[in-house]
Amino acid sequence: MSQEFFIYLACIPVLGILAQLLAWWTRLPSILLLLVFGILLGFVFNPDQLLHDIYASQNPQGELGGSVRSSIEPGTSGSASTVATRSNVAAAILFPIVSLSVAVILFEGGLTLRMSDLKESGGIVLRLVSLGALFSWALTGLAAWGILGLDWRIATLLGAIMVVTGPTVVIPLLRHIRPNRRIGAIVKWEGIVIDPVGAILAVLVFEHLFSHLERGTDYNSLATIMVLLKSVVIGVGLAWISAALLVKAVKSYWIPDFLHGVSFLAVAIGAFAVSNVLQHESGLVTVTAMGIFLANQKQVSIDHVIEFKEHLGVFLVSCLFIVLGSRLRPEVMLDIGWQGLVFLIIMIVIVRPISIWLATIGSKINFRERLFISCLAPRGIVSAAVTSVFALKLVSLSSTNPAFAEFSSDARKLVPISFLIIVGTVAIYGLTAAPLARRLGLADINPQGILIAGASAWIRSLAAELKKHGIAVALVDTNYRNISAAKMEGLRAHCMSILSEHIEEESDLSGIGRMLAMTSNDEVNVLATHEYEHLFGRKNVFQLQPRKSSFGSRPSLGERLDGRILFGNDWTEDRLAAAFDQGFQIKSTQLTEEFTYDDYMETYNDEAIVLMALNKDKKLEIMASDSEFEPKAGMTLISLAPVQPSQSV
């Protein structure tokens, strides 16, 4: 391995995670920064050249293997031949790795798909991945034929490939946008399920239009139907068998706990490979369906596996987009000319909106939701990989089969066109989707709402006060009387355990960005903070100070501090409830230049407990032991304070 290639490989994860961090700090779409970082890396290291040099060093006679050698047209100039060789060597090495990475990402995406999400939106998702895909295919093919001047068969193939959006781009955008539950479920299901649908559609189109030329036989429609049936049967069948074996293995304790995550990963990759060997591109169906089967079975808990796959998914998406960006050559996309820009605009402004609106005619989806879905269809690594596979195959066939000679020129345009669509849609949708979602009232980029574990009297009073200030609050408690009282007071409340997996499935957490564990059970508080770290992030998960254990020096579970400590280190649930019972009340007080924080505390003899604060922009700050509170004029303090200053706890 050359030193330069070693440095290139090291830069991929470093730049990928750096881009993710910068995206989190700046609130920019991560996929946009990933592409930018990748393109910048490509200016320093050309991966195609690096891989070609390594291959050439191992083959000093210059002999190229099958598909690589045959894809270079006879009679091409030396420079053109060299460029083709570099690209094909890179494709031969990179695309198997890319395919396996995409399989893992789709498997992770399938693990997030709960059938309960389809109670309200199942019909919409079905329309989008069937009728919407067909309309998109037809309109994209027409645009590619009319605008780009591609042969109608190549244009039809490109239209099928461009149906794909995929989780590599959709899920990072959803994480950035944070839409409400309904629209989030629709977009997530479409983005994950459409990948295998688009890949299989591309295989069917190739079989229908080109395979009989490759075989030198007459067209046989039965062959196309058989490809579809084989893809579905093999994909779903292998998925069910693999998922059932994993569930049985976990349930029977055949696999130790520390190997659960990697075992699921290995089985998914193995099933993907076997499926693809049996039927081209059916592996995407296999891993997606396998993830869905595992996510919706009730026999064993796989939450720890899902958490492992989430981390791996973020890592792989980051690396894949860096690799993709580093292989992009702006001059190649510019060679497409103005037609490429027009094609991109038509894809965004005409193809996607018309496809969505036609597919959802007569459905219950409202105008705002339909408009948002119409303005969100970024293409990602899957479309690039599928395009490259078919482009490489067509170019290879054109050099060995006279029947394909007429497709050579157009086939070479497929990859740069695909990259142009990827860069353009990622940039445009990445920059516009979040502001549009907020404008349509479908998302809150910085949700201020709070999920509270507990619904005792003082917590209900706090929730009511927050509601007056426009802060969304959802209470969760197992005490039916507390929940009934909360609902009587007009509060959003759920009678279930905060640890129940059904909260995320059955509760609309739109506008909720933080979790406060404030039950009277310290163990539950600890477990709740641990449970919700993955959803809200550690910064936004809080718990009350646990009581001190009376059972010796060893700490109990309830004394663990997994979340940020609320209201300082002295305030347990017992003390707060006792203060409320003795007459303390939840109050809101605005600070001014004349009435400062010192004046406020003096008014209550330093007995007021500041719980939260709203700044001038209505951003809520929760008091925690590790936070630095700077009271300022214009800020509204929400406190547990005595009615009379002379009262004490």
Side-chain angles (χ1 to χ4, degrees):
M1 181 187 297
S2 70
Q3 186 71 13
E4 286 188 337
F5 188 60
F6 174 78
I7 297 174
Y8 170 77
L9 290 178
C11 287
I12 291 172
V14 171
L15 291 177
I17 301 306
L18 179 60
Q20 293 280 6
L21 286 172
L22 287 176
W24 181 70
W25 288 334
T26 61
R27 298 194 181 278
L28 288 173
S30 61
I31 51 178
L32 185 59
L33 290 180
L34 287 167
L35 272 181
V36 171
F37 277 38
I39 292 173
L40 293 176
L41 179 62
F43 285 127
V44 180
F45 299 105
N46 185 330
D48 291 6
Q49 180 65 56
L50 294 175
L51 289 170
H52 176 266
D53 291 344
I54 294 173
Y55 186 88
S57 68
Q58 302 297 321
N59 296 269
Q61 302 301 320
E63 296 181 0
L64 299 174
S67 64
V68 176
R69 178 177 62 251
S70 62
S71 63
I72 303 172
E73 287 188 307
T76 55
S77 65
S79 60
S81 176
T82 301
V83 171
T85 305
R86 291 173 185 167
S87 178
N88 292 321
V89 170
I93 297 174
L94 288 177
F95 283 123
I97 299 174
V98 169
S99 295
L100 291 175
S101 300
V102 168
V104 175
I105 293 169
L106 276 176
F107 177 53
E108 188 270 327
L111 288 172
T112 67
L113 297 180
R114 302 282 184 175
M115 299 303 294
S116 58
D117 292 338
L118 298 181
K119 292 179 181 178
E120 300 179 0
S121 54
I124 304 299
V125 172
L126 181 61
R127 284 168 174 259
L128 293 180
V129 300
S130 56
L131 294 177
L134 292 176
F135 289 132
S136 177
W137 170 35
L139 292 173
T140 303
L142 283 173
W145 172 72
I147 302 299
L148 298 176
L150 299 179
D151 180 276
W152 69 271
R153 285 160 289 193
I154 299 293
T156 304
L157 178 62
L158 179 63
I161 296 171
M162 286 297 113
V163 163
V164 170
T165 55
T168 58
V169 283
V170 171
I171 291 179
L173 274 179
L174 290 179
R175 192 179 294 116
H176 172 68
I177 298 168
R178 300 191 66 157
N180 62 40
R181 181 188 175 196
R182 173 181 163 88
I183 197 68
I186 292 173
V187 174
K188 182 172 68 174
W189 269 88
E190 183 208 8
I192 294 173
V193 174
I194 202 67
D195 264 1
V197 170
I200 296 301
L201 180 60
V203 171
L204 293 176
V205 169
F206 189 89
E207 177 71 27
H208 184 83
L209 298 178
F210 298 104
S211 289
H212 65 287
L213 297 177
E214 182 182 1
R215 293 189 295 263
T217 60
D218 294 333
Y219 166 72
N220 185 358
S221 59
L222 182 61
T224 304
I225 297 174
M226 288 304 298
V227 168
L228 176 60
L229 291 177
K230 284 179 64 179
S231 298
V232 174
V233 172
I234 291 173
V236 176
L238 270 178
W240 184 83
I241 293 171
S242 301
L245 286 175
L246 283 172
V247 171
K248 177 64 175 177
V250 173
K251 190 176 181 181
S252 302
Y253 307 104
W254 294 345
I255 307 174
D257 291 355
F258 73 94
L259 288 181
H260 281 183
V262 292
S263 297
F264 276 60
L265 176 64
V267 172
I269 292 176
F272 172 79
V274 171
S275 186
N276 268 359
V277 169
L278 295 175
Q279 175 57 51
H280 184 52
E281 295 300 336
S282 65
L284 298 179
V285 178
T286 301
V287 291
T288 304
M290 182 178 166
I292 295 174
F293 289 153
L294 288 170
N296 292 278
Q297 55 80 32
K298 303 298 183 183
Q299 299 182 54
V300 296
S301 173
I302 58 169
D303 290 344
H304 57 303
V305 176
I306 294 175
E307 184 176 0
F308 167 73
K309 292 296 186 295
E310 285 177 349
H311 296 165
L312 184 60
V314 171
F315 181 78
L316 289 176
V317 168
S318 303
C319 292
L320 287 178
F321 270 92
I322 293 294
V323 172
L324 172 65
S326 67
R327 297 192 69 234
L328 290 179
R329 290 295 172 266
E331 64 272 13
V332 175
M333 291 186 290
L334 291 175
D335 288 343
I336 303 173
W338 62 268
Q339 294 93 336
L341 182 60
V342 173
F343 180 66
L344 173 63
I345 294 173
I346 288 176
M347 289 286 291
I348 294 173
V349 177
I350 296 178
V351 172
R352 176 66 174 182
I354 290 179
S355 301
I356 297 303
W357 287 76
L358 289 177
T360 55
I361 290 176
S363 67
K364 296 181 180 180
I365 191 171
N366 61 46
F367 174 81
R368 293 180 297 113
E369 293 171 332
R370 187 181 283 116
L371 179 59
F372 177 72
I373 298 173
S374 299
C375 298
L376 186 65
R379 271 63 175 187
I381 198 73
V382 177
S383 59
V386 175
T387 301
S388 299
V389 168
F390 284 107
L392 191 63
K393 187 169 185 176
L394 286 169
V395 172
S396 176
L397 288 170
S398 68
S399 63
T400 58
N401 190 331
F404 284 84
E406 61 180 303
F407 305 125
S408 176
S409 177
D410 286 348
R412 293 185 185 278
K413 296 178 182 178
L414 286 177
V415 173
I417 291 171
S418 173
F419 285 166
L420 175 65
I421 297 302
I422 291 170
V423 174
T425 55
V426 165
I428 293 174
Y429 291 130
L431 293 173
T432 61
L436 178 64
R438 293 197 300 272
R439 185 71 179 267
L440 295 174
L442 299 175
D444 186 347
I445 198 67
N446 184 25
Q448 297 293 299
I450 301 174
L451 174 67
I452 300 180
S456 57
W458 76 272
I459 295 176
R460 297 197 303 271
S461 180
L462 173 62
E465 194 67 24
L466 290 170
K467 184 179 178 182
K468 293 178 183 177
H469 293 286
I471 303 297
V473 182
L475 303 179
V476 177
D477 200 323
T478 55
N479 188 308
Y480 178 75
R481 290 184 178 180
N482 286 344
I483 294 301
S484 296
K487 290 182 176 180
M488 290 291 291
E489 296 167 14
L491 300 173
R492 192 186 348 168
H494 306 279
C495 188
M496 62 177 68
S497 170
I498 189 66
L499 304 177
S500 171
E501 63 182 14
H502 300 296
I503 290 181
E504 292 183 50
E505 297 179 9
E506 300 178 6
S507 306
D508 184 3
L509 298 182
S510 57
I512 302 292
R514 286 166 283 196
M515 195 282 296
L516 275 57
M518 302 196 298
T519 73
S520 58
N521 189 319
D522 292 332
E523 285 79 9
V524 170
N525 291 342
V526 170
L527 293 173
T529 55
H530 180 72
E531 181 74 19
Y532 285 87
E533 282 178 353
H534 78 282
L535 182 63
F536 300 121
R538 295 180 63 187
K539 179 182 178 181
N540 298 312
V541 174
F542 304 80
Q543 70 179 94
L544 285 173
Q545 172 69 42
R547 307 172 187 86
K548 296 299 180 182
S549 174
S550 59
F551 297 98
S553 58
R554 297 189 64 179
S556 65
L557 171 63
E559 291 183 89
R560 282 177 49 186
L561 302 178
D562 282 8
R564 302 173 66 187
I565 298 301
L566 286 166
F567 320 138
N569 295 322
D570 298 327
W571 293 99
T572 63
E573 201 279 335
D574 289 340
R575 289 197 67 194
L576 291 166
F580 189 81
D581 291 341
Q582 292 176 21
F584 278 54
Q585 296 179 353
I586 301 293
K587 297 181 178 181
S588 294
T589 306
Q590 186 173 21
L591 301 181
T592 64
E593 296 291 348
E594 294 77 22
F595 187 74
T596 65
Y597 178 73
D598 291 336
D599 296 331
Y600 173 78
M601 296 305 294
E602 184 179 349
T603 300
Y604 292 103
N605 293 336
D606 292 327
E607 295 176 332
I609 311 161
V610 180
L611 308 178
M612 302 173 187
L614 279 167
N615 63 21
K616 293 180 180 180
D617 299 325
K618 297 300 180 181
K619 296 293 180 64
L620 184 67
E621 179 180 353
I622 298 174
M623 298 299 107
S625 60
D626 61 351
S627 61
E628 297 180 1
F629 177 52
E630 298 181 8
K632 299 178 182 178
M635 185 177 284
T636 299
L637 304 181
I638 301 175
S639 309
L640 182 61
V643 177
Q644 300 295 330
S646 59
Q647 285 185 283
S648 62
V649 183

